[in-house]
Every structure is written in C-alpha cells, then in structure tokens.
Amino acid sequence: MSGRFLLAIAGAVSLWSGAASALDIDISFVRMTPERVATLSNLDPIPEDLGIKGGELAIEDNATTGRFLKHNYSLEIHDLSVGDDLIGVTLDALSDRRILITDVPADALLQIADLPEAQDALIINATAEDTALRDAECRANVLHTAPSLSMRTDAIMQYFLFKRWTRLAMIEGTYPADIAFADALRRSATKFGLDIGSTKTWAFDADMRRNAAAEVPLFTQDLRDHDVLLIADAVDDFGRYVPFNTWLPRPTAGTEGIVPEVWAPVVEQWGAAQLHSRFQDIAGRDMTPEDYGVWAAIRAVGEAVTRTNQADAMELRRYMLSEDFALGGFKGTPQTFRTWNGQMRQAVPLVTQRALVMQAPLPGFMHQHNELDTLGVDAPESACTAFEE
C-alpha cells in the first residue's frame, strides 16, 4: 500500500503584513521501500521512517531562515512499496509541485526523470548511488545529493594509498548490490594504481552466528598475502562475521571495518554533532546516510530559495549549478554541484562503528579545480552529455 501525508511549516507568521510578498515552496518526496533481503542477523532493524525524518528536519531548518523572508515550505510525502503505482503517484505529485526529492532505485528514478511531465521539474536523487546515473545514464532534470558508489570507493582507495596499504584482497557477496559495490572497488583500485590481488565469493548457507570462528579462517586461508581485506557485503549479510576471524590478522574495509559513508553519527567536527543531536530530538534514533541525503536535498533547495527569492524549479536548478551556490553540509567544506553531471561535491568520511578514521579527499590528492573532484567521475572522464549547453 502507498501512503501520503503532508508536512507544512509556514515561514510567514505575523512579523509582516502583505501576503502578496510571501513565497510558497512546495516540495514532494517520493519514497519507495524496497523488498528486504533475508540476512543472517536481524540485530540492526531498518527504521520505517528512513529518509522521512531527514526531510522533516530540513523543512524545519529551511523555515528558520524562511520565516524572516516570508518563505513558506511544505513537504508532501508519497510513501510507496514495491508494486505500487510509481508513475501514477509521481504524476499526481508533479501536478501541483515541480520540486521532487526521490528515495527510489535507479530504474525507478529514470522512469520518473523521463516522464514528459517531469522535463521542467527539479528532481533531486537523495539515495541512489549507481555511478551510471551520473555518467552515461545521467538526466538533465536530476541532481544528486547521494554520493555515487565510485565517490565512496575512491575515498577508501585514497586512504589505502595514504597508509601505503597497497596489497589488497576481497570477499564479495552474491546479491546485485554486493556485486555493484565490488565492481566499484575494482574500478577505484585501478584508478589509483592499486591491485586487488585475490578475490573470493561468499556463498555460505551455514549459520555463521555459530560457525564463523571455524569457517572464516578456512575460507580466507588461501587468499594471497595482503595488507587489508576488502568486504563487499552491501546487504549486510555476512560481513560482520569476518573481522577477527580471518586466517591472517588484517584490518577490514569496504562494508565492514573502515567504511566510506556519506554520513555517520561518529562524525562530530564542523558542527556535525549539533546536526545529529537535532535529528535525534525529532527522530529518536541516529541519522542515516539516507536521512542525510534527503536533508541535503531539501536544504539545497532552501539555500537556493534564500539566495534567489525564487520558487520556480528551473530558476532554482540554474542557481544550484552556478558558482554562487554552496551548502554548508557539516563536513568541513562547502558542498556544490558539478556542472557536468549534477552530482553534489562532498567529503566522504571513513568511519568505524565508534570513530571517524579520516575524511576524504585525503592530504596529497590534488585537483586543478576542486579537490572534492578527486572522488568519483571527473569531467574529462564523464560520459554524461545531458548537461552540455
């Protein structure tokens, strides 16, 4: 079943009179809850309001400035399950709102972006990380606040070079998300001149909660000697059972151990702790990467509205892609959009469960224009042509 509800915060209270000068910014959020993969452990339940609470916080943040400028923000949430009428819901959303935030898979995002009714809409992808969406499959009406997989895997390879951990091995899962993450790790390793010397595919059907201490050493015994073991377990199935059970005593990274994330509660500098605290106040839980992607999307809209005093989707898009736009994303550097594919530039924290290890781009990785462009597909390599004028 699909759900729909409306969050509205009026920016104009009784501070001024004259309703004609007020500006209404109406945003729709289309969210599709995917079918969950059955995993070995259920210790980390997935919040039912994933992304939604990030949107609610962003609307509140936008209203903090908006109330003085007479900018009124509303967020209409369309909550779908797999099999619901995505196109019908989207057309309904676009009938009276031209700013659309999405938390949907890549194929669904492309269906939305290609609708004739969406060609003059501003669509911001908050969660889909598929690199192709920023490359050959890019769309001019879609911007991205979610980092691409290649941005995240480039970040971890920069760290390996910084640490001089040049000998890599990898265990990858069998689900499509696992394979995509493993492929991104391979591409990033090649980009930075590293080599994943040996790889094994995890296909166990035994209960690792009981057998990990016996099975994992045997499974990893024949991996070529390495400095770090990469784990590609995007669905969070087996990865938690690998660290400290490997044949060789080596650190793990990827989806377990040192993990490249767009956001994590252990990021505390640059005001991040305050953002996380405010999120906990309204959500009663930690802020996730999905929440951050939605928050950044709606805050980017709010920043553009504040600077332009416009609510028109195309005017906001133009400004967001200009050199004048910058979002303070609580990660130490201004976050801007790449003009060649609509991807938001942003630092990528490398985290463990309990601490920030480092944040990419790392020292020594230089770029002729912006060091954040060392993460992901840079302009000379891009196959995206939709943004060419």
Side-chain angles (χ1 to χ4, degrees):
M1 295 194 51
S2 63
R4 172 179 177 174
F5 56 95
L6 180 69
L7 171 70
I9 296 181
V13 288
S14 58
L15 297 177
W16 294 276
S17 60
S21 60
L23 193 66
D24 295 327
I25 304 95
D26 300 322
I27 304 170
S28 286
F29 176 35
V30 176
R31 172 181 182 259
M32 178 179 287
T33 304
E35 294 178 346
R36 304 298 182 189
V37 172
T39 59
L40 291 172
S41 176
N42 58 1
L43 292 176
D44 302 310
I46 299 174
E48 293 184 359
D49 56 4
L50 205 64
I52 293 174
K53 291 300 182 182
E56 291 179 3
L57 179 61
I59 289 290
E60 289 187 6
D61 289 351
N62 284 355
T64 300
T65 300
R67 65 172 50 94
F68 297 105
L69 300 174
K70 305 181 74 174
H71 296 167
N72 309 313
Y73 291 89
S74 71
L75 180 65
E76 185 177 67
I77 300 172
H78 302 265
D79 200 7
L80 296 88
S81 299
V82 174
D84 288 339
D85 184 7
L86 172 69
I87 299 304
V89 168
T90 302
L91 290 174
D92 182 48
L94 290 171
S95 64
D96 59 353
R97 293 167 184 251
R98 311 306 297 164
I99 303 172
L100 190 67
I101 314 299
T102 64
D103 173 11
V104 299
D107 57 347
L109 177 61
L110 293 177
Q111 290 181 53
I112 291 172
D114 290 339
L115 288 171
E117 295 83 355
Q119 297 314 298
D120 62 348
L122 170 60
I123 303 169
I124 306 181
N125 162 39
T127 59
E129 296 184 328
D130 307 63
T131 298
L133 293 173
R134 291 88 168 158
D135 203 33
E137 294 297 323
C138 69
R139 298 294 190 270
N141 54 350
V142 180
L143 306 183
H144 309 271
T145 54
S148 65
L149 270 181
S150 62
M151 290 172 64
R152 294 178 56 212
T153 55
D154 282 359
I156 199 71
M157 293 301 164
Q158 286 190 5
Y159 177 72
F160 295 157
L161 281 176
F162 182 83
K163 296 290 289 183
R164 298 184 179 178
W165 293 351
T166 57
R167 299 178 302 166
L168 311 178
M170 181 166 65
I171 301 173
E172 62 179 294
T174 58
Y175 292 100
D178 302 337
I179 295 169
F181 193 85
D183 288 343
L185 286 168
R186 291 186 184 93
R187 287 192 296 269
S188 291
T190 300
K191 174 179 176 178
F192 288 98
L194 298 174
D195 177 52
I196 301 176
S198 54
T199 301
K200 296 196 73 172
T201 299
W202 184 277
F204 280 89
D205 56 5
D207 189 346
M208 286 298 111
R209 293 171 293 184
R210 298 178 178 87
N211 301 328
E215 298 289 351
V216 174
L218 293 175
F219 182 73
T220 58
Q221 184 175 2
D222 59 346
L223 287 171
R224 190 184 307 173
D225 194 12
H226 49 277
D227 298 314
V228 60
L229 177 60
L230 293 165
I231 300 176
D233 175 29
V235 302
D236 197 22
D237 183 23
F238 65 89
R240 69 182 69 214
Y241 305 107
V242 175
F244 309 108
N245 280 320
T246 55
W247 182 260
L248 296 175
R250 299 291 186 267
T252 58
T255 59
E256 195 71 34
I258 303 170
V259 182
E261 291 282 21
V262 63
W263 181 261
V266 296
V267 180
E268 299 179 290
Q269 298 177 332
W270 314 291
Q274 288 75 17
L275 176 65
H276 193 72
S277 177
R278 290 190 292 109
F279 181 85
Q280 286 180 315
D281 287 343
I282 71 165
R285 60 174 177 82
D286 288 342
M287 193 177 204
T288 67
E290 293 85 354
D291 292 305
Y292 184 84
V294 177
W295 175 86
I298 295 175
R299 279 293 297 119
V301 171
E303 179 67 20
V305 170
T306 298
R307 301 298 178 183
T308 64
N309 197 36
Q310 296 276 344
D312 178 75
M314 289 296 95
E315 285 299 316
L316 295 177
R317 177 189 179 278
R318 181 198 60 76
Y319 180 78
M320 291 162 74
L321 287 170
S322 75
E323 295 182 355
D324 297 325
F325 174 85
L327 176 68
F330 299 96
K331 292 197 283 187
T333 55
Q335 298 180 186
T336 60
F337 286 98
R338 293 170 178 160
T339 57
W340 62 87
N341 64 2
Q343 171 66 57
M344 176 174 275
R345 298 180 177 95
Q346 55 193 299
V348 177
L350 302 170
V351 302
T352 65
Q353 285 189 334
R354 301 190 63 186
L356 172 68
V357 178
M358 294 191 78
Q359 182 162 276
L362 273 71
F365 291 89
M366 310 299 290
H367 191 275
Q368 60 269 40
H369 300 299
N370 190 320
E371 290 180 6
L372 291 172
D373 288 338
T374 62
L375 303 175
V377 180
D378 199 3
E381 306 141 7
S382 176
C384 176
T385 60
F387 285 72
E388 296 177 357
E389 296 183 355

